[in-house]
Amino acid sequence: MNESKGRSIPETVKGVPEPTLRRLPLYYRLLKQLRDSGRAGVSCTMIGTELKLDPTQIRKDIEVTGTVGRPKVGYDINELICAIERFLGWDNTVEAFLVGAGSLGEALMGYGGFTECGLQIVAAFDVDPTKCHRVMHGKHVRHVSKLPNLMRRMKVRFGIITVPAAEAQQAANLLVEGGVLAIWNFAPAKIQVPERVIVTNEDLYCSLAVLSQKMTRKLALSRSKGGSKP
Amino acid sequence: MNESKGRSIPETVKGVPEPTLRRLPLYYRLLKQLRDSGRAGVSCTMIGTELKLDPTQIRKDIEVTGTVGRPKVGYDINELICAIERFLGWDNTVEAFLVGAGSLGEALMGYGGFTECGLQIVAAFDVDPTKCHRVMHGKHVRHVSKLPNLMRRMKVRFGIITVPAAEAQQAANLLVEGGVLAIWNFAPAKIQVPERVIVTNEDLYCSLAVLSQKMTRKLALSRSKGGSKP
DNA sequence: CATAAATCGAGAATTATTTCTTTATATATA
DNA sequence: TATATATAAAGAAATAATTCTCGATTTATG
Protein backbone atom coordinates (compact mmCIF):
# COMPACT_ATOMS: atom_id res chain seq x y z
CA MET A 1 0.00 0.00 0.00
CA ASN A 2 2.84 2.27 -0.81
CA GLU A 3 4.03 1.70 -4.31
CA SER A 4 0.92 0.43 -5.94
CA LYS A 5 -1.24 3.46 -5.45
CA GLY A 6 -0.88 6.10 -8.14
CA ARG A 7 2.50 7.65 -8.63
CA SER A 8 5.17 6.09 -6.47
CA ILE A 9 7.65 7.86 -8.66
CA PRO A 10 6.07 11.04 -10.07
CA GLU A 11 6.18 9.47 -13.55
CA THR A 12 9.03 11.80 -14.49
CA VAL A 13 7.06 13.12 -17.40
CA LYS A 14 9.28 16.13 -17.50
CA GLY A 15 12.94 15.25 -17.19
CA VAL A 16 14.61 15.86 -13.87
CA PRO A 17 17.43 18.44 -13.88
CA GLU A 18 20.79 16.82 -14.27
CA PRO A 19 22.30 18.74 -11.34
CA THR A 20 19.68 17.11 -9.16
CA LEU A 21 20.53 13.65 -10.48
CA ARG A 22 24.18 14.25 -9.75
CA ARG A 23 23.47 15.29 -6.17
CA LEU A 24 21.25 12.36 -5.28
CA PRO A 25 24.16 9.90 -4.91
CA LEU A 26 25.76 12.32 -2.46
CA TYR A 27 22.69 12.21 -0.27
CA TYR A 28 22.44 8.49 -0.74
CA ARG A 29 25.96 7.90 0.52
CA LEU A 30 25.50 10.15 3.52
CA LEU A 31 22.15 8.58 4.38
CA LYS A 32 23.67 5.14 4.40
CA GLN A 33 26.38 6.34 6.74
CA LEU A 34 23.81 7.92 9.02
CA ARG A 35 21.73 4.77 9.03
CA ASP A 36 24.76 2.68 9.88
CA SER A 37 25.48 4.99 12.76
CA GLY A 38 22.05 4.20 14.13
CA ARG A 39 19.95 7.18 13.13
CA ALA A 40 16.38 6.77 11.92
CA GLY A 41 15.47 10.26 10.73
CA VAL A 42 17.17 13.15 9.04
CA SER A 43 16.36 16.74 8.09
CA CYS A 44 17.46 18.74 5.08
CA THR A 45 19.16 21.09 7.47
CA MET A 46 21.38 18.30 8.68
CA ILE A 47 22.19 17.00 5.21
CA GLY A 48 22.94 20.54 4.16
CA THR A 49 25.32 21.15 7.03
CA GLU A 50 27.10 17.90 6.34
CA LEU A 51 27.39 18.36 2.58
CA LYS A 52 27.65 22.15 2.57
CA LEU A 53 24.61 22.57 0.38
CA ASP A 54 21.49 24.70 0.65
CA PRO A 55 18.72 22.89 2.56
CA THR A 56 16.05 24.16 0.19
CA GLN A 57 17.89 22.72 -2.73
CA ILE A 58 18.11 19.38 -0.98
CA ARG A 59 14.39 19.51 -0.24
CA LYS A 60 13.64 20.13 -3.90
CA ASP A 61 15.95 17.31 -4.93
CA ILE A 62 14.29 14.91 -2.51
CA GLU A 63 10.91 15.96 -3.86
CA VAL A 64 11.66 14.37 -7.22
CA THR A 65 12.03 10.98 -5.57
CA GLY A 66 8.48 11.23 -4.25
CA THR A 67 9.47 11.08 -0.60
CA VAL A 68 7.47 13.20 1.83
CA GLY A 69 8.80 14.45 5.11
CA ARG A 70 7.20 15.76 8.23
CA PRO A 71 7.61 19.28 9.56
CA LYS A 72 9.85 19.56 12.56
CA VAL A 73 10.90 15.93 12.08
CA GLY A 74 12.32 15.49 8.63
CA TYR A 75 12.46 12.30 6.60
CA ASP A 76 12.69 8.66 7.51
CA ILE A 77 16.17 7.62 6.48
CA ASN A 78 15.23 4.16 5.30
CA GLU A 79 12.34 5.44 3.26
CA LEU A 80 14.54 8.06 1.69
CA ILE A 81 17.28 5.60 0.82
CA CYS A 82 14.75 3.31 -0.83
CA ALA A 83 13.16 6.17 -2.71
CA ILE A 84 16.49 7.31 -4.13
CA GLU A 85 17.37 3.75 -5.11
CA ARG A 86 14.03 3.31 -6.78
CA PHE A 87 14.19 6.65 -8.52
CA LEU A 88 17.67 6.07 -9.92
CA GLY A 89 16.92 2.48 -10.82
CA TRP A 90 19.48 1.24 -8.35
CA ASP A 91 17.00 -1.21 -6.85
CA ASN A 92 17.24 -3.54 -9.83
CA THR A 93 20.35 -5.30 -11.00
CA VAL A 94 21.56 -4.29 -14.42
CA GLU A 95 24.15 -6.46 -16.11
CA ALA A 96 26.88 -4.78 -18.08
CA PHE A 97 29.59 -5.63 -20.57
CA LEU A 98 32.87 -3.80 -20.38
CA VAL A 99 34.93 -3.16 -23.50
CA GLY A 100 38.63 -2.58 -22.95
CA ALA A 101 40.46 -4.74 -20.41
CA GLY A 102 43.27 -2.29 -19.73
CA SER A 103 44.05 -0.87 -16.33
CA LEU A 104 41.04 1.42 -16.35
CA GLY A 105 38.77 -1.47 -17.20
CA GLU A 106 40.40 -3.50 -14.49
CA ALA A 107 39.91 -0.68 -12.02
CA LEU A 108 36.20 -0.54 -12.77
CA MET A 109 35.81 -4.30 -12.53
CA GLY A 110 37.53 -4.29 -9.17
CA TYR A 111 35.38 -1.46 -7.91
CA GLY A 112 33.08 -3.39 -5.61
CA GLY A 113 30.79 -0.47 -4.94
CA PHE A 114 28.86 -0.64 -8.19
CA THR A 115 26.78 -3.59 -7.06
CA GLU A 116 25.31 -1.19 -4.52
CA CYS A 117 23.96 0.73 -7.51
CA GLY A 118 22.64 -2.40 -9.13
CA LEU A 119 25.38 -2.42 -11.72
CA GLN A 120 27.02 -5.74 -12.32
CA ILE A 121 29.82 -6.12 -14.82
CA VAL A 122 29.41 -9.68 -16.08
CA ALA A 123 32.14 -9.88 -18.68
CA ALA A 124 34.95 -7.93 -20.27
CA PHE A 125 36.15 -7.78 -23.86
CA ASP A 126 39.32 -6.73 -25.59
CA VAL A 127 40.76 -6.63 -29.11
CA ASP A 128 44.13 -7.82 -27.86
CA PRO A 129 44.16 -11.66 -27.96
CA THR A 130 46.86 -11.79 -25.29
CA LYS A 131 44.45 -10.16 -22.86
CA CYS A 132 41.67 -12.63 -23.57
CA HIS A 133 40.86 -15.98 -22.04
CA ARG A 134 41.81 -14.89 -18.60
CA VAL A 135 39.81 -13.99 -15.57
CA MET A 136 39.90 -10.51 -14.10
CA HIS A 137 38.28 -9.89 -10.75
CA GLY A 138 36.18 -12.97 -11.32
CA LYS A 139 35.05 -11.96 -14.81
CA HIS A 140 36.04 -13.60 -18.07
CA VAL A 141 37.85 -11.54 -20.64
CA ARG A 142 36.84 -12.47 -24.17
CA HIS A 143 37.66 -11.30 -27.63
CA VAL A 144 35.55 -8.41 -28.89
CA SER A 145 34.41 -10.46 -31.86
CA LYS A 146 32.28 -12.45 -29.43
CA LEU A 147 30.57 -9.39 -28.00
CA PRO A 148 27.48 -8.75 -30.17
CA ASN A 149 26.20 -12.31 -30.17
CA LEU A 150 26.89 -12.91 -26.53
CA MET A 151 25.23 -9.65 -25.63
CA ARG A 152 22.04 -10.60 -27.41
CA ARG A 153 22.05 -14.09 -25.99
CA MET A 154 22.62 -12.92 -22.43
CA LYS A 155 20.24 -9.99 -22.90
CA VAL A 156 22.78 -7.53 -21.57
CA ARG A 157 21.70 -3.94 -22.25
CA PHE A 158 24.41 -1.85 -20.65
CA GLY A 159 27.89 -1.16 -22.00
CA ILE A 160 31.02 0.41 -20.53
CA ILE A 161 33.74 1.64 -22.84
CA THR A 162 37.27 1.78 -21.44
CA VAL A 163 39.31 1.57 -24.62
CA PRO A 164 41.67 4.25 -25.98
CA ALA A 165 40.03 7.16 -27.77
CA ALA A 166 40.93 5.86 -31.21
CA GLU A 167 39.02 2.62 -30.66
CA ALA A 168 36.00 4.08 -28.91
CA GLN A 169 33.81 4.19 -32.00
CA GLN A 170 34.49 0.56 -32.84
CA ALA A 171 33.64 -0.41 -29.30
CA ALA A 172 30.42 1.57 -29.52
CA ASN A 173 29.56 -0.10 -32.82
CA LEU A 174 29.93 -3.54 -31.28
CA LEU A 175 27.69 -2.59 -28.38
CA VAL A 176 25.08 -1.15 -30.71
CA GLU A 177 25.23 -4.33 -32.76
CA GLY A 178 24.58 -6.23 -29.56
CA GLY A 179 21.50 -4.14 -28.89
CA VAL A 180 22.85 -1.88 -26.17
CA LEU A 181 20.50 0.52 -24.44
CA ALA A 182 22.92 2.70 -22.51
CA ILE A 183 26.65 3.35 -22.74
CA TRP A 184 29.00 4.70 -20.14
CA ASN A 185 31.88 6.01 -22.17
CA PHE A 186 35.22 6.56 -20.48
CA ALA A 187 37.12 7.18 -23.69
CA PRO A 188 37.94 10.82 -24.37
CA ALA A 189 36.19 10.81 -27.72
CA LYS A 190 32.71 11.42 -28.95
CA ILE A 191 30.92 8.33 -30.16
CA GLN A 192 28.18 8.17 -32.76
CA VAL A 193 25.27 5.96 -31.83
CA PRO A 194 21.62 5.66 -32.84
CA GLU A 195 19.40 8.17 -31.11
CA ARG A 196 17.71 5.54 -28.97
CA VAL A 197 20.98 4.71 -27.19
CA ILE A 198 21.66 6.75 -24.05
CA VAL A 199 25.25 7.83 -23.60
CA THR A 200 27.05 9.38 -20.66
CA ASN A 201 30.59 10.50 -21.25
CA GLU A 202 33.07 10.33 -18.44
CA ASP A 203 35.54 12.67 -20.00
CA LEU A 204 38.42 13.27 -17.63
CA TYR A 205 39.69 16.17 -19.68
CA CYS A 206 36.48 18.07 -19.01
CA SER A 207 36.91 17.72 -15.27
CA LEU A 208 40.57 18.50 -15.46
CA ALA A 209 39.74 21.67 -17.35
CA VAL A 210 37.62 22.90 -14.46
CA LEU A 211 40.35 22.21 -11.98
CA SER A 212 43.25 23.58 -13.98
CA GLN A 213 41.41 26.73 -14.94
CA LYS A 214 40.52 27.44 -11.33
CA MET A 215 44.10 26.81 -10.32
CA THR A 216 45.40 29.03 -13.10
CA ARG A 217 43.00 31.76 -12.14
CA LYS A 218 43.96 31.54 -8.50
CA LEU A 219 47.65 31.69 -9.30
CA ALA A 220 47.11 34.66 -11.60
CA LEU A 221 45.12 36.51 -8.97
CA SER A 222 47.55 35.84 -6.14
CA ARG A 223 50.39 36.95 -8.38
CA SER A 224 48.67 40.20 -9.33
CA LYS A 225 47.82 40.96 -5.71
CA GLY A 226 50.58 39.79 -3.41
CA GLY A 227 53.10 38.70 -6.02
CA SER A 228 56.66 39.83 -6.63
CA LYS A 229 56.17 41.68 -9.89
CA PRO A 230 53.52 44.42 -9.73
CA MET B 1 52.65 41.54 -30.26
CA ASN B 2 49.86 39.32 -29.36
CA GLU B 3 49.98 38.42 -25.71
CA SER B 4 51.73 41.42 -24.32
CA LYS B 5 49.15 44.03 -25.21
CA GLY B 6 46.45 44.50 -22.60
CA ARG B 7 44.26 41.57 -21.62
CA SER B 8 45.37 38.41 -23.37
CA ILE B 9 43.06 36.56 -21.03
CA PRO B 10 40.12 38.76 -19.99
CA GLU B 11 41.43 38.67 -16.40
CA THR B 12 38.55 36.35 -15.44
CA VAL B 13 37.45 38.76 -12.77
CA LYS B 14 34.10 37.10 -12.68
CA GLY B 15 34.31 33.32 -12.70
CA VAL B 16 33.58 31.57 -15.95
CA PRO B 17 30.55 29.25 -15.94
CA GLU B 18 31.52 25.67 -15.26
CA PRO B 19 29.53 24.32 -18.21
CA THR B 20 31.70 26.47 -20.43
CA LEU B 21 34.87 25.14 -18.84
CA ARG B 22 33.67 21.61 -19.41
CA ARG B 23 32.98 22.25 -23.08
CA LEU B 24 36.28 23.87 -23.91
CA PRO B 25 38.19 20.56 -23.95
CA LEU B 26 35.66 19.24 -26.46
CA TYR B 27 36.42 22.09 -28.80
CA TYR B 28 40.11 21.73 -28.12
CA ARG B 29 40.14 18.09 -29.15
CA LEU B 30 38.16 18.72 -32.30
CA LEU B 31 40.33 21.68 -33.23
CA LYS B 32 43.47 19.58 -32.97
CA GLN B 33 41.92 16.97 -35.20
CA LEU B 34 40.94 19.62 -37.72
CA ARG B 35 44.42 21.11 -37.64
CA ASP B 36 45.98 17.71 -38.21
CA SER B 37 43.72 17.22 -41.19
CA GLY B 38 45.19 20.36 -42.70
CA ARG B 39 42.59 23.02 -42.00
CA ALA B 40 43.56 26.53 -40.96
CA GLY B 41 40.23 28.11 -40.05
CA VAL B 42 36.98 27.06 -38.47
CA SER B 43 33.55 28.54 -37.79
CA CYS B 44 31.23 28.01 -34.85
CA THR B 45 28.75 26.57 -37.28
CA MET B 46 31.18 23.84 -38.19
CA ILE B 47 32.11 23.04 -34.61
CA GLY B 48 28.44 23.00 -33.75
CA THR B 49 27.58 20.57 -36.50
CA GLU B 50 30.42 18.31 -35.50
CA LEU B 51 29.71 18.35 -31.78
CA LYS B 52 25.94 18.77 -32.00
CA LEU B 53 25.95 21.97 -30.01
CA ASP B 54 24.42 25.37 -30.60
CA PRO B 55 26.79 27.65 -32.55
CA THR B 56 25.87 30.65 -30.41
CA GLN B 57 26.84 28.79 -27.31
CA ILE B 58 30.16 27.90 -28.83
CA ARG B 59 30.71 31.52 -29.77
CA LYS B 60 30.04 32.60 -26.21
CA ASP B 61 32.37 29.92 -24.89
CA ILE B 62 35.13 30.98 -27.23
CA GLU B 63 34.64 34.56 -26.16
CA VAL B 64 35.90 33.78 -22.65
CA THR B 65 39.25 32.71 -24.07
CA GLY B 66 39.69 36.14 -25.62
CA THR B 67 39.86 34.90 -29.18
CA VAL B 68 38.25 37.07 -31.85
CA GLY B 69 36.96 35.77 -35.13
CA ARG B 70 36.12 37.34 -38.42
CA PRO B 71 32.66 37.44 -39.97
CA LYS B 72 32.18 35.06 -42.83
CA VAL B 73 35.54 33.44 -42.01
CA GLY B 74 35.52 32.25 -38.44
CA TYR B 75 38.52 31.69 -36.23
CA ASP B 76 42.10 30.79 -36.89
CA ILE B 77 42.47 27.23 -35.62
CA ASN B 78 45.97 27.64 -34.27
CA GLU B 79 45.12 30.84 -32.50
CA LEU B 80 42.06 29.23 -30.96
CA ILE B 81 43.96 26.17 -29.79
CA CYS B 82 46.57 28.36 -28.14
CA ALA B 83 43.94 30.55 -26.54
CA ILE B 84 42.16 27.58 -25.01
CA GLU B 85 45.45 26.16 -23.76
CA ARG B 86 46.38 29.47 -22.24
CA PHE B 87 42.98 30.01 -20.72
CA LEU B 88 42.86 26.59 -19.08
CA GLY B 89 46.46 26.76 -18.00
CA TRP B 90 47.36 23.86 -20.24
CA ASP B 91 50.28 25.78 -21.72
CA ASN B 92 52.37 25.31 -18.58
CA THR B 93 53.48 22.03 -17.12
CA VAL B 94 52.09 21.24 -13.70
CA GLU B 95 53.68 18.43 -11.75
CA ALA B 96 51.43 16.16 -9.75
CA PHE B 97 51.63 13.51 -7.06
CA LEU B 98 49.27 10.60 -7.20
CA VAL B 99 48.11 8.87 -4.02
CA GLY B 100 46.89 5.32 -4.42
CA ALA B 101 48.83 2.99 -6.72
CA GLY B 102 45.96 0.62 -7.41
CA SER B 103 44.60 -0.12 -10.85
CA LEU B 104 42.87 3.25 -11.14
CA GLY B 105 46.09 5.01 -10.22
CA GLU B 106 47.94 2.89 -12.71
CA ALA B 107 45.39 3.71 -15.37
CA LEU B 108 45.88 7.43 -14.83
CA MET B 109 49.66 7.12 -14.85
CA GLY B 110 49.53 5.22 -18.11
CA TYR B 111 47.18 7.75 -19.68
CA GLY B 112 49.62 9.51 -21.95
CA GLY B 113 47.20 12.24 -22.91
CA PHE B 114 47.52 14.32 -19.78
CA THR B 115 50.85 15.76 -20.82
CA GLU B 116 48.91 17.46 -23.60
CA CYS B 117 47.11 19.33 -20.81
CA GLY B 118 50.32 20.17 -19.05
CA LEU B 119 49.70 17.63 -16.32
CA GLN B 120 52.64 15.48 -15.42
CA ILE B 121 52.39 12.83 -12.76
CA VAL B 122 55.87 12.69 -11.31
CA ALA B 123 55.45 10.13 -8.54
CA ALA B 124 52.93 7.82 -6.94
CA PHE B 125 52.39 6.90 -3.30
CA ASP B 126 50.71 4.08 -1.47
CA VAL B 127 50.19 2.90 2.10
CA ASP B 128 50.79 -0.69 1.10
CA PRO B 129 54.54 -1.38 1.45
CA THR B 130 54.35 -4.21 -1.06
CA LYS B 131 53.30 -1.73 -3.73
CA CYS B 132 56.19 0.61 -3.00
CA HIS B 133 59.73 0.73 -4.35
CA ARG B 134 58.66 -0.27 -7.79
CA VAL B 135 58.29 1.69 -10.98
CA MET B 136 54.93 2.11 -12.67
CA HIS B 137 54.79 3.61 -16.13
CA GLY B 138 58.16 5.16 -15.44
CA LYS B 139 57.19 6.68 -12.10
CA HIS B 140 58.45 5.63 -8.71
CA VAL B 141 55.96 4.36 -6.20
CA ARG B 142 56.87 5.41 -2.67
CA HIS B 143 55.38 5.02 0.74
CA VAL B 144 52.84 7.70 1.70
CA SER B 145 54.92 8.64 4.73
CA LYS B 146 57.39 10.24 2.33
CA LEU B 147 54.77 12.36 0.62
CA PRO B 148 54.58 15.63 2.57
CA ASN B 149 58.31 16.26 2.74
CA LEU B 150 58.97 15.25 -0.81
CA MET B 151 56.10 17.38 -2.01
CA ARG B 152 57.52 20.48 -0.35
CA ARG B 153 61.04 19.76 -1.54
CA MET B 154 59.96 19.19 -5.13
CA LYS B 155 57.49 22.07 -4.96
CA VAL B 156 54.69 19.92 -6.31
CA ARG B 157 51.32 21.66 -5.93
CA PHE B 158 48.85 19.27 -7.50
CA GLY B 159 47.48 16.05 -6.02
CA ILE B 160 45.46 13.17 -7.42
CA ILE B 161 43.64 10.86 -5.04
CA THR B 162 42.93 7.32 -6.27
CA VAL B 163 42.60 5.49 -2.97
CA PRO B 164 39.47 3.73 -1.68
CA ALA B 165 36.81 5.96 -0.15
CA ALA B 166 37.74 5.07 3.40
CA GLU B 167 41.29 6.34 2.94
CA ALA B 168 40.51 9.46 0.97
CA GLN B 169 40.62 11.83 3.93
CA GLN B 170 44.03 10.55 5.02
CA ALA B 171 45.33 11.00 1.51
CA ALA B 172 43.94 14.52 1.44
CA ASN B 173 45.56 15.29 4.78
CA LEU B 174 48.96 14.23 3.47
CA LEU B 175 48.58 16.40 0.41
CA VAL B 176 47.52 19.36 2.51
CA GLU B 177 50.50 18.79 4.75
CA GLY B 178 52.65 18.89 1.65
CA GLY B 179 51.17 22.26 0.70
CA VAL B 180 48.87 21.15 -2.07
CA LEU B 181 47.02 23.77 -4.09
CA ALA B 182 44.56 21.65 -6.01
CA ILE B 183 43.23 18.12 -5.64
CA TRP B 184 41.63 15.88 -8.19
CA ASN B 185 39.70 13.42 -6.09
CA PHE B 186 38.66 10.12 -7.64
CA ALA B 187 37.51 8.57 -4.37
CA PRO B 188 33.75 8.45 -3.88
CA ALA B 189 33.92 10.39 -0.64
CA LYS B 190 33.88 14.00 0.35
CA ILE B 191 37.18 15.28 1.66
CA GLN B 192 37.69 18.10 4.14
CA VAL B 193 40.43 20.50 3.18
CA PRO B 194 41.33 24.11 4.02
CA GLU B 195 39.37 26.61 2.01
CA ARG B 196 42.36 27.68 -0.03
CA VAL B 197 42.68 24.21 -1.59
CA ILE B 198 40.72 23.70 -4.81
CA VAL B 199 39.02 20.32 -5.14
CA THR B 200 37.35 18.65 -8.07
CA ASN B 201 35.57 15.41 -7.36
CA GLU B 202 35.44 12.78 -10.04
CA ASP B 203 32.61 10.86 -8.49
CA LEU B 204 31.63 7.99 -10.74
CA TYR B 205 28.44 7.38 -8.83
CA CYS B 206 27.19 10.83 -9.78
CA SER B 207 27.66 10.11 -13.46
CA LEU B 208 26.22 6.66 -13.13
CA ALA B 209 23.16 8.17 -11.50
CA VAL B 210 22.49 10.28 -14.56
CA LEU B 211 22.80 7.30 -16.85
CA SER B 212 20.83 4.82 -14.80
CA GLN B 213 18.01 7.25 -14.14
CA LYS B 214 17.70 8.03 -17.83
CA MET B 215 17.70 4.33 -18.59
CA THR B 216 15.14 3.61 -15.90
CA ARG B 217 12.94 6.40 -17.16
CA LYS B 218 13.17 5.18 -20.71
CA LEU B 219 12.32 1.63 -19.74
CA ALA B 220 9.38 2.85 -17.66
CA LEU B 221 8.06 4.96 -20.51
CA SER B 222 8.41 2.27 -23.15
CA ARG B 223 6.68 -0.17 -20.82
CA SER B 224 3.76 2.17 -20.20
CA LYS B 225 3.37 2.94 -23.90
CA GLY B 226 4.12 -0.11 -25.98
CA GLY B 227 4.64 -2.63 -23.22
CA SER B 228 2.85 -5.87 -22.51
CA LYS B 229 0.84 -4.84 -19.50
CA PRO B 230 -1.43 -1.83 -20.05
C1' DC C 1 31.40 47.46 -58.48
C1' DA C 2 27.07 45.75 -56.65
C1' DT C 3 24.86 41.93 -54.56
C1' DA C 4 24.46 37.74 -51.98
C1' DA C 5 25.76 34.65 -48.44
C1' DA C 6 28.08 33.35 -44.25
C1' DT C 7 29.33 34.43 -39.83
C1' DC C 8 30.79 37.15 -35.84
C1' DG C 9 29.33 40.02 -31.95
C1' DA C 10 26.16 42.20 -28.94
C1' DG C 11 22.23 42.14 -26.63
C1' DA C 12 17.34 40.56 -25.84
C1' DA C 13 14.44 36.78 -24.69
C1' DT C 14 13.84 32.43 -22.94
C1' DT C 15 14.59 28.63 -20.07
C1' DA C 16 16.69 26.31 -16.21
C1' DT C 17 18.33 26.31 -11.65
C1' DT C 18 18.99 28.12 -7.25
C1' DT C 19 17.72 30.85 -3.41
C1' DC C 20 14.39 33.33 -0.70
C1' DT C 21 9.80 33.92 1.53
C1' DT C 22 5.79 32.47 3.47
C1' DT C 23 2.64 29.22 5.39
C1' DA C 24 1.31 25.11 7.67
C1' DT C 25 2.33 21.39 10.73
C1' DA C 26 4.43 18.45 14.15
C1' DT C 27 6.92 18.14 18.40
C1' DA C 28 8.61 19.71 22.71
C1' DT C 29 8.17 22.58 26.76
C1' DA C 30 6.16 25.52 30.15
C1' DT D 1 -3.42 23.26 27.17
C1' DA D 2 -0.87 27.09 25.16
C1' DT D 3 3.39 28.62 23.22
C1' DA D 4 7.72 28.28 20.97
C1' DT D 5 10.52 26.17 17.55
C1' DA D 6 12.13 23.44 13.82
C1' DT D 7 11.05 22.03 9.52
C1' DA D 8 8.53 20.54 5.24
C1' DA D 9 6.07 22.36 1.29
C1' DA D 10 4.68 25.58 -2.03
C1' DG D 11 5.46 29.28 -4.58
C1' DA D 12 7.90 33.75 -5.70
C1' DA D 13 12.10 35.94 -6.81
C1' DA D 14 16.67 36.01 -8.26
C1' DT D 15 20.43 34.23 -10.69
C1' DA D 16 22.65 31.48 -14.24
C1' DA D 17 22.79 29.49 -18.68
C1' DT D 18 21.09 28.87 -23.19
C1' DT D 19 18.91 30.24 -27.31
C1' DC D 20 17.15 33.70 -30.37
C1' DT D 21 17.41 38.14 -33.03
C1' DC D 22 19.53 41.48 -35.52
C1' DG D 23 23.03 44.51 -37.25
C1' DA D 24 27.78 44.71 -39.01
C1' DT D 25 31.46 42.81 -41.62
C1' DT D 26 33.94 40.07 -44.75
C1' DT D 27 34.42 37.25 -48.74
C1' DA D 28 32.75 35.40 -52.97
C1' DT D 29 30.14 35.95 -57.27
C1' DG D 30 27.91 37.99 -61.16
Side-chain angles (χ1 to χ4, degrees), chain A residues 74-140:
Chain A
Y75 304 87
D76 179 82
I77 289 188
N78 265 315
E79 197 185 325
L80 196 42
I81 288 175
C82 292
I84 293 176
E85 276 177 349
R86 195 151 23 97
F87 180 74
L88 294 177
W90 287 3
D91 56 340
N92 288 114
T93 301
V94 173
E95 298 193 324
F97 273 1
L98 184 145
V99 196
S103 42
L104 179 56
E106 188 176 346
L108 293 183
M109 281 190 274
Y111 219 179
F114 288 146
T115 54
E116 193 183 13
C117 314
L119 183 69
Q120 205 188 348
I121 301 174
V122 291
F125 297 84
D126 208 291
V127 269
D128 183 352
T130 68
K131 281 192 185 148
C132 301
H133 308 298
R134 67 168 92 166
V135 175
M136 229 179 216
H137 294 286
K139 282 100 191 177
H140 281 280

Side-chain angles (χ1 to χ4, degrees), chain A residues 29 104 107-108 111 114 184 186 202-209 211, chain B residues 22 96-109 111 114 119 121 158-169 171-172 175 182-191 198-207:
Chain A
R29 193 177 298 151
L104 179 56
L108 293 183
Y111 219 179
F114 288 146
W184 198 2
F186 284 80
E202 197 72 44
D203 194 327
L204 297 188
Y205 293 88
C206 297
S207 305
L208 179 57
L211 191 53
Chain B
R22 298 189 72 92
F97 273 1
L98 183 145
V99 196
S103 43
L104 179 57
E106 187 175 348
L108 294 182
M109 282 189 273
Y111 218 180
F114 287 146
L119 183 70
I121 301 173
F158 199 105
I160 303 175
I161 296 180
T162 51
V163 300
E167 294 161 34
Q169 187 58 55
L175 289 168
I183 295 178
W184 197 3
N185 176 32
F186 285 79
K190 73 175 192 313
I191 52 173
I198 308 164
V199 177
T200 288
N201 294 300
E202 197 72 43
D203 193 326
L204 297 188
Y205 293 88
C206 297
S207 305

